[in-house]
Amino acid sequence: MSTIRSLLPYPTWPSKPLKVTAVNADDGAFAVFDAASGADLALAVAASCTVPGAWPPVGINGTPYMDGGMRSAVNADVAAGCDRVLVLSCGPEAPESPFGPTLPQAMKRLSEGSETFLIEADAASVAAFGTNVLLESTRRPSATAGWEQGKAAVDAVKRFWGA
């Protein structure tokens, strides 16, 4: 937990809206943590990073939680109701899932009430991730590929935000 806490820019929830997703490890229910949820920020982030089989669930208020990515890799639907939604996706998602809305489904719904902008990992980034995104050996190549893609997208993102 100290590692997660040390990586966060703030020790508590920021004043601007932040939502962190997780899945209840007991019953599979989707959970969204925010400043009003009563969850400690570092615990919420740790739970959201807990990949089943790699790390044990994280307890929040007596309930074990695991990675919100078990429901959807992006959980973009959580941004419903926002005027503008910038979605960053580490890769394409299948068009359908039995667990939650996929990225294509979420983007379709979001675009009905929000201005949306999607950036998906490009071919270089996907190749850098490799077949196992948890490998330490892919971290630097993945970060480098993402940095390069980000530099290429910066002007489009600025236009989207009106900057």
Side-chain angles (χ1 to χ4, degrees):
M1 180 59 53
S2 61
T3 300
I4 295 287
R5 197 172 300 283
S6 73
L7 295 171
L8 297 174
Y10 305 101
T12 60
W13 291 93
S15 59
K16 293 192 177 195
L18 172 65
K19 297 177 186 260
V20 178
T21 62
V23 172
N24 181 317
D26 284 338
D27 64 12
F30 182 57
V32 179
F33 298 106
D34 60 16
S37 69
D40 175 78
L41 175 61
L43 284 176
V45 171
S48 187
C49 296
T50 300
V51 178
W55 294 283
V58 171
I60 298 175
N61 299 326
T63 302
Y65 290 95
M66 61 183 170
D67 188 355
M70 297 297 102
R71 173 185 177 260
S72 163
V74 180
N75 289 304
D77 60 304
V78 173
C82 294
D83 294 332
R84 287 189 181 146
V85 180
L86 171 65
V87 177
L88 304 175
S89 173
C90 292
E93 281 191 27
E96 295 188 22
S97 168
F99 304 111
T102 64
L103 181 57
Q105 292 167 336
M107 292 304 294
K108 182 178 182 206
R109 288 186 202 132
L110 284 171
S111 68
E112 293 169 359
S114 305
E115 186 179 350
T116 61
F117 189 84
L118 171 63
I119 299 176
E120 289 183 278
D122 60 15
S125 295
V126 171
F129 293 146
T131 57
N132 182 349
V133 298
L134 299 178
L135 293 176
E136 189 172 335
S137 62
T138 65
R139 289 182 191 163
R140 187 170 305 277
S142 297
T144 300
W147 180 262
E148 292 302 320
Q149 185 178 1
K151 288 192 311 187
V154 72
D155 289 336
V157 172
K158 283 180 180 180
R159 284 191 300 277
F160 174 71
W161 288 121

Tab-separated table of all heavy atoms in Angstrom, residues 63-106:
chain	number	residue	atom	x	y	z
A	63	THR	N	-14.962	-5.027	2.621
A	63	THR	CA	-15.303	-5.746	1.392
A	63	THR	C	-14.062	-5.862	0.519
A	63	THR	O	-13.368	-4.869	0.306
A	63	THR	CB	-16.411	-4.989	0.619
A	63	THR	OG1	-17.546	-4.856	1.471
A	63	THR	CG2	-16.810	-5.719	-0.647
A	64	PRO	N	-13.788	-7.054	-0.016
A	64	PRO	CA	-12.631	-7.214	-0.895
A	64	PRO	C	-12.948	-6.746	-2.317
A	64	PRO	O	-13.991	-7.097	-2.883
A	64	PRO	CB	-12.360	-8.719	-0.867
A	64	PRO	CG	-13.705	-9.331	-0.617
A	64	PRO	CD	-14.452	-8.339	0.245
A	65	TYR	N	-12.050	-5.951	-2.897
A	65	TYR	CA	-12.230	-5.444	-4.257
A	65	TYR	C	-11.045	-5.805	-5.122
A	65	TYR	O	-9.927	-5.946	-4.641
A	65	TYR	CB	-12.407	-3.920	-4.256
A	65	TYR	CG	-13.714	-3.488	-3.679
A	65	TYR	CD1	-13.816	-3.128	-2.343
A	65	TYR	CD2	-14.861	-3.454	-4.465
A	65	TYR	CE1	-15.030	-2.737	-1.809
A	65	TYR	CE2	-16.081	-3.062	-3.932
A	65	TYR	CZ	-16.159	-2.706	-2.607
A	65	TYR	OH	-17.361	-2.332	-2.077
A	66	MET	N	-11.327	-5.924	-6.439
A	66	MET	CA	-10.286	-6.200	-7.423
A	66	MET	C	-10.453	-5.225	-8.586
A	66	MET	O	-11.395	-4.442	-8.644
A	66	MET	CB	-10.371	-7.644	-7.905
A	66	MET	CG	-11.665	-8.004	-8.589
A	66	MET	SD	-11.680	-9.749	-9.019
A	66	MET	CE	-13.381	-9.929	-9.516
A	67	ASP	N	-9.552	-5.312	-9.520
A	67	ASP	CA	-9.451	-4.445	-10.685
A	67	ASP	C	-10.799	-4.185	-11.362
A	67	ASP	O	-11.497	-5.108	-11.761
A	67	ASP	CB	-8.493	-5.100	-11.673
A	67	ASP	CG	-8.129	-4.244	-12.856
A	67	ASP	OD1	-8.682	-3.146	-13.011
A	67	ASP	OD2	-7.260	-4.678	-13.629
A	68	GLY	N	-11.140	-2.905	-11.518
A	68	GLY	CA	-12.348	-2.522	-12.239
A	68	GLY	C	-12.292	-2.932	-13.694
A	68	GLY	O	-13.323	-3.009	-14.369
A	69	GLY	N	-11.102	-3.226	-14.194
A	69	GLY	CA	-10.937	-3.699	-15.561
A	69	GLY	C	-11.510	-5.085	-15.786
A	69	GLY	O	-11.624	-5.533	-16.919
A	70	MET	N	-11.915	-5.768	-14.722
A	70	MET	CA	-12.562	-7.063	-14.881
A	70	MET	C	-13.960	-6.877	-15.480
A	70	MET	O	-14.507	-7.781	-16.072
A	70	MET	CB	-12.674	-7.801	-13.534
A	70	MET	CG	-11.336	-8.141	-12.900
A	70	MET	SD	-10.360	-9.270	-13.908
A	70	MET	CE	-9.173	-8.165	-14.660
A	71	ARG	N	-14.526	-5.694	-15.316
A	71	ARG	CA	-15.832	-5.372	-15.889
A	71	ARG	C	-15.677	-4.818	-17.296
A	71	ARG	O	-16.361	-5.193	-18.218
A	71	ARG	CB	-16.539	-4.346	-15.007
A	71	ARG	CG	-17.832	-3.817	-15.599
A	71	ARG	CD	-18.368	-2.711	-14.680
A	71	ARG	NE	-19.555	-2.106	-15.188
A	71	ARG	CZ	-19.597	-0.944	-15.835
A	71	ARG	NH1	-18.493	-0.275	-16.071
A	71	ARG	NH2	-20.739	-0.447	-16.241
A	72	SER	N	-14.772	-3.880	-17.440
A	72	SER	CA	-14.475	-3.231	-18.724
A	72	SER	C	-13.067	-2.681	-18.614
A	72	SER	O	-12.701	-2.135	-17.575
A	72	SER	CB	-15.474	-2.094	-18.972
A	72	SER	OG	-15.020	-1.205	-19.974
A	73	ALA	N	-12.305	-2.791	-19.676
A	73	ALA	CA	-10.930	-2.304	-19.622
A	73	ALA	C	-10.864	-0.800	-19.399
A	73	ALA	O	-9.899	-0.295	-18.846
A	73	ALA	CB	-10.184	-2.683	-20.895
A	74	VAL	N	-11.893	-0.076	-19.804
A	74	VAL	CA	-11.867	1.379	-19.709
A	74	VAL	C	-12.925	1.934	-18.757
A	74	VAL	O	-12.702	2.943	-18.106
A	74	VAL	CB	-12.024	2.012	-21.117
A	74	VAL	CG1	-12.002	3.518	-21.053
A	74	VAL	CG2	-10.947	1.506	-22.055
A	75	ASN	N	-14.078	1.315	-18.661
A	75	ASN	CA	-15.186	1.811	-17.831
A	75	ASN	C	-15.555	3.252	-18.181
A	75	ASN	O	-15.876	4.059	-17.321
A	75	ASN	CB	-14.856	1.682	-16.339
A	75	ASN	CG	-14.863	0.243	-15.885
A	75	ASN	OD1	-15.847	-0.457	-16.048
A	75	ASN	ND2	-13.759	-0.209	-15.332
A	76	ALA	N	-15.529	3.555	-19.460
A	76	ALA	CA	-15.812	4.916	-19.920
A	76	ALA	C	-17.221	5.376	-19.584
A	76	ALA	O	-17.464	6.570	-19.452
A	76	ALA	CB	-15.576	5.017	-21.434
A	77	ASP	N	-18.133	4.436	-19.406
A	77	ASP	CA	-19.521	4.801	-19.106
A	77	ASP	C	-19.660	5.560	-17.795
A	77	ASP	O	-20.646	6.266	-17.582
A	77	ASP	CB	-20.417	3.561	-19.101
A	77	ASP	CG	-19.991	2.536	-18.070
A	77	ASP	OD1	-18.818	2.100	-18.099
A	77	ASP	OD2	-20.829	2.167	-17.233
A	78	VAL	N	-18.665	5.472	-16.924
A	78	VAL	CA	-18.700	6.188	-15.643
A	78	VAL	C	-18.709	7.701	-15.866
A	78	VAL	O	-19.157	8.459	-15.015
A	78	VAL	CB	-17.509	5.743	-14.755
A	78	VAL	CG1	-17.402	6.572	-13.494
A	78	VAL	CG2	-17.659	4.269	-14.397
A	79	ALA	N	-18.261	8.138	-17.022
A	79	ALA	CA	-18.214	9.571	-17.328
A	79	ALA	C	-19.541	10.118	-17.852
A	79	ALA	O	-19.628	11.295	-18.204
A	79	ALA	CB	-17.111	9.845	-18.343
A	80	ALA	N	-20.578	9.291	-17.885
A	80	ALA	CA	-21.892	9.763	-18.356
A	80	ALA	C	-22.308	10.993	-17.558
A	80	ALA	O	-22.121	11.059	-16.345
A	80	ALA	CB	-22.933	8.662	-18.212
A	81	GLY	N	-22.842	11.978	-18.260
A	81	GLY	CA	-23.290	13.210	-17.624
A	81	GLY	C	-22.274	14.337	-17.698
A	81	GLY	O	-22.599	15.477	-17.407
A	82	CYS	N	-21.050	14.018	-18.097
A	82	CYS	CA	-20.038	15.065	-18.260
A	82	CYS	C	-20.225	15.733	-19.621
A	82	CYS	O	-20.645	15.094	-20.579
A	82	CYS	CB	-18.636	14.469	-18.169
A	82	CYS	SG	-18.233	13.810	-16.538
A	83	ASP	N	-19.914	17.029	-19.692
A	83	ASP	CA	-20.052	17.749	-20.957
A	83	ASP	C	-19.062	17.255	-21.997
A	83	ASP	O	-19.411	17.058	-23.153
A	83	ASP	CB	-19.847	19.246	-20.746
A	83	ASP	CG	-20.937	19.869	-19.903
A	83	ASP	OD1	-22.074	19.352	-19.912
A	83	ASP	OD2	-20.656	20.875	-19.224
A	84	ARG	N	-17.813	17.064	-21.578
A	84	ARG	CA	-16.757	16.582	-22.458
A	84	ARG	C	-16.097	15.381	-21.815
A	84	ARG	O	-15.831	15.386	-20.612
A	84	ARG	CB	-15.698	17.648	-22.702
A	84	ARG	CG	-16.145	18.748	-23.596
A	84	ARG	CD	-14.963	19.617	-23.946
A	84	ARG	NE	-15.417	20.704	-24.792
A	84	ARG	CZ	-14.923	21.906	-24.783
A	84	ARG	NH1	-13.933	22.198	-23.977
A	84	ARG	NH2	-15.393	22.830	-25.578
A	85	VAL	N	-15.799	14.388	-22.647
A	85	VAL	CA	-15.181	13.169	-22.136
A	85	VAL	C	-14.011	12.789	-23.042
A	85	VAL	O	-14.200	12.519	-24.229
A	85	VAL	CB	-16.193	11.997	-22.086
A	85	VAL	CG1	-15.524	10.741	-21.562
A	85	VAL	CG2	-17.406	12.366	-21.248
A	86	LEU	N	-12.815	12.801	-22.488
A	86	LEU	CA	-11.620	12.322	-23.166
A	86	LEU	C	-11.355	10.917	-22.651
A	86	LEU	O	-11.195	10.712	-21.448
A	86	LEU	CB	-10.416	13.225	-22.866
A	86	LEU	CG	-9.060	12.725	-23.340
A	86	LEU	CD1	-9.000	12.654	-24.858
A	86	LEU	CD2	-7.955	13.620	-22.802
A	87	VAL	N	-11.340	9.943	-23.552
A	87	VAL	CA	-11.138	8.548	-23.168
A	87	VAL	C	-9.791	8.087	-23.710
A	87	VAL	O	-9.511	8.221	-24.904
A	87	VAL	CB	-12.262	7.644	-23.719
A	87	VAL	CG1	-12.006	6.187	-23.374
A	87	VAL	CG2	-13.618	8.086	-23.178
A	88	LEU	N	-8.950	7.559	-22.823
A	88	LEU	CA	-7.665	6.976	-23.203
A	88	LEU	C	-7.777	5.469	-23.020
A	88	LEU	O	-8.086	4.997	-21.926
A	88	LEU	CB	-6.542	7.515	-22.317
A	88	LEU	CG	-6.385	9.029	-22.286
A	88	LEU	CD1	-5.316	9.418	-21.278
A	88	LEU	CD2	-6.071	9.572	-23.655
A	89	SER	N	-7.556	4.733	-24.081
A	89	SER	CA	-7.688	3.280	-24.037
A	89	SER	C	-6.376	2.626	-24.435
A	89	SER	O	-5.764	2.996	-25.436
A	89	SER	CB	-8.806	2.836	-24.992
A	89	SER	OG	-8.851	1.436	-25.083
A	90	CYS	N	-5.969	1.634	-23.656
A	90	CYS	CA	-4.702	0.939	-23.922
A	90	CYS	C	-4.802	-0.065	-25.061
A	90	CYS	O	-3.828	-0.728	-25.382
A	90	CYS	CB	-4.219	0.237	-22.659
A	90	CYS	SG	-3.732	1.398	-21.387
A	91	GLY	N	-5.963	-0.192	-25.655
A	91	GLY	CA	-6.115	-1.106	-26.782
A	91	GLY	C	-7.565	-1.280	-27.145
A	91	GLY	O	-8.455	-0.897	-26.385
A	92	PRO	N	-7.811	-1.850	-28.295
A	92	PRO	CA	-9.201	-2.054	-28.704
A	92	PRO	C	-9.883	-3.083	-27.820
A	92	PRO	O	-9.241	-3.967	-27.256
A	92	PRO	CB	-9.072	-2.547	-30.144
A	92	PRO	CG	-7.682	-3.082	-30.252
A	92	PRO	CD	-6.851	-2.331	-29.267
A	93	GLU	N	-11.190	-2.945	-27.667
A	93	GLU	CA	-11.977	-3.904	-26.898
A	93	GLU	C	-12.900	-4.659	-27.833
A	93	GLU	O	-13.271	-4.155	-28.897
A	93	GLU	CB	-12.842	-3.177	-25.863
A	93	GLU	CG	-12.121	-2.756	-24.631
A	93	GLU	CD	-13.077	-2.291	-23.537
A	93	GLU	OE1	-14.236	-2.732	-23.497
A	93	GLU	OE2	-12.646	-1.477	-22.723
A	94	ALA	N	-13.306	-5.807	-27.414
A	94	ALA	CA	-14.296	-6.580	-28.169
A	94	ALA	C	-15.598	-5.788	-28.238
A	94	ALA	O	-15.881	-4.983	-27.348
A	94	ALA	CB	-14.527	-7.918	-27.481
A	95	PRO	N	-16.397	-6.011	-29.269
A	95	PRO	CA	-17.634	-5.246	-29.393
A	95	PRO	C	-18.684	-5.601	-28.346
A	95	PRO	O	-19.584	-4.815	-28.081
A	95	PRO	CB	-18.121	-5.568	-30.801
A	95	PRO	CG	-17.411	-6.802	-31.200
A	95	PRO	CD	-16.137	-6.857	-30.411
A	96	GLU	N	-18.578	-6.782	-27.739
A	96	GLU	CA	-19.553	-7.187	-26.723
A	96	GLU	C	-18.854	-7.886	-25.571
A	96	GLU	O	-17.802	-8.486	-25.744
A	96	GLU	CB	-20.605	-8.115	-27.335
A	96	GLU	CG	-21.450	-7.427	-28.384
A	96	GLU	CD	-22.608	-8.283	-28.858
A	96	GLU	OE1	-23.013	-9.203	-28.126
A	96	GLU	OE2	-23.103	-8.027	-29.957
A	97	SER	N	-19.484	-7.815	-24.390
A	97	SER	CA	-18.948	-8.455	-23.189
A	97	SER	C	-20.102	-8.810	-22.270
A	97	SER	O	-21.059	-8.039	-22.162
A	97	SER	CB	-17.995	-7.509	-22.459
A	97	SER	OG	-17.698	-8.002	-21.173
A	98	PRO	N	-20.019	-9.936	-21.569
A	98	PRO	CA	-21.079	-10.271	-20.617
A	98	PRO	C	-20.949	-9.530	-19.282
A	98	PRO	O	-21.834	-9.595	-18.448
A	98	PRO	CB	-20.884	-11.779	-20.406
A	98	PRO	CG	-19.420	-11.995	-20.633
A	98	PRO	CD	-19.030	-11.005	-21.702
A	99	PHE	N	-19.850	-8.792	-19.091
A	99	PHE	CA	-19.579	-8.186	-17.794
A	99	PHE	C	-19.987	-6.730	-17.675
A	99	PHE	O	-20.360	-6.270	-16.606
A	99	PHE	CB	-18.094	-8.337	-17.452
A	99	PHE	CG	-17.632	-9.764	-17.473
A	99	PHE	CD1	-16.768	-10.204	-18.454
A	99	PHE	CD2	-18.090	-10.667	-16.532
A	99	PHE	CE1	-16.354	-11.522	-18.492
A	99	PHE	CE2	-17.687	-11.985	-16.558
A	99	PHE	CZ	-16.818	-12.420	-17.544
A	100	GLY	N	-19.869	-5.980	-18.721
A	100	GLY	CA	-20.186	-4.561	-18.666
A	100	GLY	C	-20.082	-3.956	-20.040
A	100	GLY	O	-19.684	-4.637	-20.985
A	101	PRO	N	-20.415	-2.688	-20.156
A	101	PRO	CA	-20.351	-2.088	-21.482
A	101	PRO	C	-18.917	-2.040	-21.998
A	101	PRO	O	-18.000	-1.690	-21.281
A	101	PRO	CB	-20.910	-0.677	-21.262
A	101	PRO	CG	-20.782	-0.424	-19.805
A	101	PRO	CD	-20.821	-1.749	-19.127
A	102	THR	N	-18.762	-2.425	-23.237
A	102	THR	CA	-17.452	-2.369	-23.873
A	102	THR	C	-17.177	-0.927	-24.292
A	102	THR	O	-18.072	-0.075	-24.253
A	102	THR	CB	-17.405	-3.270	-25.114
A	102	THR	OG1	-18.340	-2.766	-26.067
A	102	THR	CG2	-17.727	-4.712	-24.757
A	103	LEU	N	-15.976	-0.674	-24.716
A	103	LEU	CA	-15.621	0.673	-25.141
A	103	LEU	C	-16.511	1.158	-26.291
A	103	LEU	O	-17.033	2.269	-26.225
A	103	LEU	CB	-14.137	0.750	-25.506
A	103	LEU	CG	-13.632	2.115	-25.934
A	103	LEU	CD1	-13.878	3.171	-24.858
A	103	LEU	CD2	-12.155	2.045	-26.282
A	104	PRO	N	-16.731	0.363	-27.343
A	104	PRO	CA	-17.623	0.847	-28.408
A	104	PRO	C	-19.032	1.164	-27.902
A	104	PRO	O	-19.626	2.174	-28.291
A	104	PRO	CB	-17.644	-0.306	-29.415
A	104	PRO	CG	-16.370	-1.049	-29.183
A	104	PRO	CD	-16.109	-0.918	-27.702
A	105	GLN	N	-19.563	0.324	-27.019
A	105	GLN	CA	-20.898	0.577	-26.469
A	105	GLN	C	-20.902	1.846	-25.620
A	105	GLN	O	-21.808	2.678	-25.725
A	105	GLN	CB	-21.362	-0.620	-25.629
A	105	GLN	CG	-21.619	-1.860	-26.441
A	105	GLN	CD	-21.771	-3.108	-25.572
A	105	GLN	OE1	-21.269	-3.169	-24.440
A	105	GLN	NE2	-22.439	-4.120	-26.106
A	106	ALA	N	-19.908	1.994	-24.782
A	106	ALA	CA	-19.837	3.176	-23.903
A	106	ALA	C	-19.662	4.447	-24.719
A	106	ALA	O	-20.310	5.463	-24.435
A	106	ALA	CB	-18.694	3.024	-22.898
